[in-house]
Amino acid sequence: MTVVDAQAPSITCPANITANNTVGTCGAVVNYAAPVGTDNCSGVTSSRTVGLASGASFPIGTTTVTYQATDAAGLTATCSFTVAISDNEAPAITCPSNIVANNTTGSCDAIVSYNAPTGTDNCTGVTSNRTAGLASGSTFPIGATTVTYLATDLAGLTATCSFTVTVNDTEAPTINCPSNVTINADSSTCGAAVSFNTPAGTDNCGAATTLQTAGLASGATFPVGVTTQVFGATDGAGNTTTCSFSVTVVDIETPTISCPSNVSAAANGAGCTATVTYNTPVGTDNCTNSSTVLSGGFASGAAFPSGVTTVTYTVADQSGNSATCSFTVTVSGNVSSTQNLTICNGASVTVGTNTYSTAGVYTDLLANAFGCDSVVTTVLSVTNVNTGTTLNGIVLSAAANGATYQWLDCDNGNAAISGATSQTFTPSVNGNYAVVVTENGCTDTSACTSVTVVGLQEAFGSEFSLHPNPSNGLVTIEFGQSLSDLEIRVTDLTGKVLYAKDHVNGNQVLLDMRSLSHGVYLVEVRSADLRKALRMVVQ
């Protein structure tokens, strides 16, 4: 009899397994007890037919593992379990740094580009999306815009990052003021009502706030003079621009003044004057601070001379407009007087309306001068300076009437020559001189005349020159013959020595005086007992 094994083996798998992924990987290593089949007969074998062995790295998701038991009769049995690996590791995403940009000129925004961030994950298949803000290359508005990106993996896990794009408005607003205004003051007013178009600022980003910071509003009464108008425009970013213009009000209105009526008065006693009082006029003007002054005649309460005196008052405002009024004060009376006048050098003297140039007895002199009624006799004496002067030899003739005289050096700023008080005087150097004669209070200066001192030229040779003259200070002195042991002094016109050179030998010498300022100087050459000076011009 044949016995047949009809009983299948049995096999039992472990329970289902769940695990999280290993950090940084897209799976996890899982260990389990491999199932082993059993049978009524020996010789059963067990094998894995589906899935991964224990200790293998299982991928994210669910993996089914199946084992089969086979006995010697060829009968089989199977069991299965699942290994579920969960991805609990979120993706990563990094945004660029915050971006700051200035607005594009003339606009209220700016085009900004950036590198769009991309997410990374332990498993493939991560996606990146912008969830807030604007894309790279977009036009960003003034202010701060937050840009946010989201990374999502296949497990649905997410990560976000954000950065800001700040666009600053650096463009100042614009504002235009009207042209300067010049206008005459309104009649009887120290100012003028002036209207103008009030400026308004504009900006690349909407409206700008306009504020007047100096001056007066349109339609106001502007004072005489110059008023500066200043307006400022400020945008929302705090940028400010100003403009200005002037309003000039010109006062062309003449002030007014009224004088009292003409006044007649008798002289005090037998004199030729009278004390006269009157109401001093005061001018008025459309503007305050006008001033009234006596511009002719005498003030109220003064002693007025015999005759007719015109009294004039002038009122002037601060703009230079003026007005005058006049009245007369007539004083009548009797007086006699004698007057001595001196006429110098044939000149003439004018008294009142008469001109006199010779001695004599004259009538009505004071009558013509001061308006007194009686006949006046005046003796006029004439003194003429007529002292003779001889320049060749420098000798003055006898002086009449106690005349005194003095020499002036015309080449040295007309300075008086010390000690030149005798009738005979010989200057030490060639040049131009004037004789001053004073006689009975009259002074006569003869014309400056060239004087030659005999023997001085010959001492330094037949030729004595200074060139170039004018110069820049670099000059050459040349003599007609070779000389020795000369002294050279350069002075200003006050006599102050500015340059000195001693023990000069030869027939020429070079002087370097370029340090001297522009002007006129004296160059003096001295020998043992003679000297000569020439003018030098430095330019």
Side-chain angles (χ1 to χ4, degrees):
M1 180 178 75
T2 301
V3 179
V4 178
D5 185 3
Q7 183 177 350
S10 64
I11 190 169
T12 302
C13 283
N16 292 337
I17 300 172
T18 60
N20 292 329
N21 71 292
T22 301
V23 175
T25 65
C26 195
V29 174
V30 177
N31 294 300
Y32 59 84
V36 177
T38 62
D39 191 50
N40 57 324
C41 295
S42 60
V44 64
T45 60
S46 300
S47 63
R48 176 175 43 82
T49 59
V50 177
L52 300 174
S54 175
S57 179
F58 282 75
I60 296 294
T62 301
T63 301
T64 300
V65 181
T66 301
Y67 273 82
Q68 177 178 281
T70 303
D71 62 12
L75 300 173
T76 61
T78 62
C79 71
S80 297
F81 65 96
T82 61
V83 177
I85 304 299
S86 298
D87 180 9
N88 68 345
E89 186 173 346
I93 189 168
T94 302
C95 282
S97 300
N98 295 335
I99 299 173
V100 177
N102 293 333
N103 70 291
T104 302
T105 301
S107 65
C108 194
D109 46 44
I111 296 174
V112 178
S113 297
Y114 58 85
N115 293 324
T118 301
T120 60
D121 192 51
N122 58 315
C123 295
T124 60
V126 65
T127 58
S128 300
N129 297 293
R130 177 174 42 83
T131 59
L134 300 174
S136 175
S138 299
T139 299
F140 282 73
I142 295 292
T145 300
T146 300
V147 181
T148 302
Y149 273 80
L150 173 69
T152 305
D153 64 13
L154 294 177
L157 300 174
T158 61
T160 62
C161 69
S162 298
F163 64 100
T164 58
V165 175
T166 302
V167 178
N168 293 325
D169 179 13
T170 60
E171 188 170 346
T174 60
I175 187 170
N176 294 312
C177 280
S179 301
N180 295 335
V181 177
T182 300
I183 190 171
N184 292 335
D186 297 335
S187 178
S188 301
T189 305
C190 195
V194 178
S195 296
F196 54 86
N197 293 324
T198 301
T202 58
D203 190 55
N204 58 313
C205 288
T209 301
T210 302
L211 181 67
Q212 184 174 4
T213 59
L216 301 174
S218 176
T221 297
F222 283 71
V224 168
V226 179
T227 301
T228 300
Q229 304 283 100
V230 180
F231 286 82
T234 305
D235 63 15
N239 299 309
T240 299
T241 302
T242 62
C243 70
S244 63
F245 67 101
S246 64
V247 175
T248 302
V249 178
V250 181
D251 179 15
I252 62 171
E253 189 167 342
T254 302
T256 60
I257 188 170
S258 297
C259 279
S261 301
N262 295 335
V263 178
S264 296
N268 301 328
C272 198
T273 63
T275 301
V276 177
T277 59
Y278 54 83
N279 293 325
T280 302
V282 178
T284 59
D285 189 52
N286 59 315
C287 293
T288 58
N289 298 323
S290 62
S291 60
T292 303
V293 297
L294 176 66
S295 54
F298 302 99
S300 176
F304 280 73
S306 179
V308 178
T309 300
T310 298
V311 180
T312 301
Y313 277 85
T314 301
V315 57
D317 61 21
Q318 292 185 330
S319 297
N321 302 306
S322 63
T324 61
C325 69
S326 299
F327 63 100
T328 60
V329 174
T330 302
V331 175
S332 58
N334 297 307
V335 69
S336 296
S337 178
T338 299
Q339 187 175 19
N340 246 330
L341 299 179
T342 300
I343 299 177
C344 297
N345 305 327
S348 60
V349 172
T350 299
V351 180
T353 59
N354 296 329
T355 300
Y356 307 93
S357 59
T358 59
V361 177
Y362 301 90
T363 58
D364 293 330
L365 174 63
L366 293 182
N368 287 325
F370 305 112
C372 287
D373 296 333
S374 65
V375 173
V376 178
T377 300
T378 298
V379 177
L380 202 67
S381 63
V382 179
T383 299
N384 287 306
V385 174
N386 50 18
T387 302
T389 302
T390 302
L391 291 175
N392 188 11
I394 323 302
V395 178
L396 297 178
S397 62
N401 301 320
T404 60
Y405 51 89
Q406 189 178 26
W407 282 94
L408 293 183
D409 184 352
C410 298
D411 291 330
N412 192 14
N414 290 340
I417 299 175
S418 177
T421 56
S422 61
Q423 286 190 327
T424 301
F425 175 73
T426 302
S428 61
V429 295
N430 289 350
N432 292 321
Y433 299 90
V435 179
V436 178
V437 180
T438 302
E439 178 183 344
N440 284 354
C442 296
T443 300
D444 173 40
T445 302
S446 65
C448 284
T449 305
S450 179
V451 177
T452 300
V453 179
V454 178
L456 186 60
Q457 184 76 7
E458 287 73 8
F460 296 113
S462 58
E463 294 184 5
F464 177 33
S465 61
L466 178 69
H467 64 84
N469 191 15
S471 72
N472 64 352
L474 190 63
V475 299
T476 299
I477 298 178
E478 290 190 355
F479 308 101
Q481 61 191 41
S482 181
L483 301 173
S484 62
D485 202 27
L486 298 179
E487 296 178 357
I488 297 176
R489 298 289 185 269
V490 178
T491 68
D492 60 18
L493 296 183
T494 67
K496 180 180 179 181
V497 177
L498 304 176
Y499 180 91
K501 193 176 185 71
D502 295 331
H503 308 299
V504 176
N505 301 307
N507 61 357
Q508 71 175 27
V509 59
L510 177 65
L511 306 181
D512 187 352
M513 294 169 291
R514 287 174 289 186
S515 62
L516 297 180
S517 302
H518 297 177
V520 178
Y521 301 89
L522 293 178
V523 179
E524 184 180 58
V525 179
R526 303 174 180 176
S527 65
D529 55 357
L530 296 172
R531 64 178 58 185
K532 175 179 172 60
L534 292 178
R535 281 193 305 171
M536 177 184 69
V537 178
V538 176
Q539 62 184 13

